[in-house]
Amino acid sequence: MAAGGQADFAPPRWLRSAHVQSVLGTSALRRRRGAALLDATGALTTSHILDGGDGVRLQGLHSAIPGAPSRGLVLLLHGWEGSAESSYMSQTGAHLLRLGFEVFRLNFRDHGDSHHLNPHLFHSNLIDEVVHAALDLARRFPARPMLAGGYSLGGNFALRLALRAPDAGLQLAGVAAVCPVLDPALTLVQMERGVPLYLRHFEAKWRRSLVRKRELFPDLHGYDDATLKLGMRQLTEQLVLQHTAFGSLDAYFEGYSIAGERLSALQLPAWMLTSEDDPVIPVDGFRALRLPARGQLDIVPWGGHCGFIENARLDGYAERWMAARMDSAVPLKR
């Protein structure tokens, strides 16, 4: 294991605030930058509905440069209340396309414009449907190496997908994760104790998503406006008890934790990037990880939560970092 490695990210001083990095990372300006970079590749993007098993349908976007040979297919997973159109998804996709990869940007259930596809609510333990969708994706685009990458909660999903891949019969050449959620219980505590900005941001986006779901399936989702006004912890607990088989909030969080020794069973190359100043996910959890010999962890001083912005153009180091790891996993054929 290469732990605590120093990647070569050194932003200008005006970009070294964790909060500046984190806020700019999800800004409209950066979304436009990501979309422009993706458009500049000349890739053809098509929408697909993948089979998530048990009637679940997950929507995503496949991008490839017409006429170009494919080095492989990279499945990208966004963070909670992000989408396939998030800036980091588009920027990563652009880098990968220029390296000769195809890209599939998956929307989790109830993310992007996909609330209508499934009657039941999204929650973070729905890894089985992502595994099933990845298998469907591999069947649709066979005879090429497949890799997976994700950001924040998407990084957590990508690493759990890699853990399950051997038993599921999914051939993955590697997995990369940026600021993956390790211990969700500690992440919630970190947001509750930290600057309120992050908790309020996620609460507002989640409430809008839940309102949309209620509008589409009013007979199934009867939570009232008073419930939606609850804080993050209380609202999560209410929905866990009412809409999942978990008997407690602690059991729910434990269900998708990848902290401690859980990643030691990884059987394929795995890379992680995080920052010491992440205001959402405590860096100590990364230092306590037990990774296998083929796992690498890069910890850099700056970057915030999934920021890693390099310059005034809002280009992202994390997106280049992820593309470089995929590049190393699939040697270019001469």
Side-chain angles (χ1 to χ4, degrees), residues 53-73:
D54 295 328
V56 173
R57 297 181 295 164
L58 299 181
Q59 184 267 344
L61 301 172
H62 174 262
S63 298
I65 297 177
S70 175
R71 289 179 63 185
L73 174 64

Side-chain angles (χ1 to χ4, degrees), residues 28-83:
L29 286 172
R30 188 158 143 82
R31 285 195 296 276
R32 288 196 288 270
R33 175 63 173 161
L37 289 172
L38 190 61
D39 288 344
T41 66
L44 175 65
T45 297
T46 54
S47 179
H48 298 260
I49 303 293
L50 298 182
D51 177 12
D54 295 328
V56 173
R57 297 181 295 164
L58 299 181
Q59 184 267 344
L61 301 172
H62 174 262
S63 298
I65 297 177
S70 175
R71 289 179 63 185
L73 174 64
V74 180
L75 171 63
L76 293 179
L77 304 174
H78 59 78
W80 187 42
E81 292 304 328
S83 77

Side-chain angles (χ1 to χ4, degrees), residues 284-304:
D284 287 347
F286 289 93
R287 295 194 173 105
L289 287 175
R290 181 184 171 192
L291 298 179
R294 301 175 78 185
Q296 178 176 318
L297 170 62
D298 289 332
I299 301 176
V300 298
W302 309 285

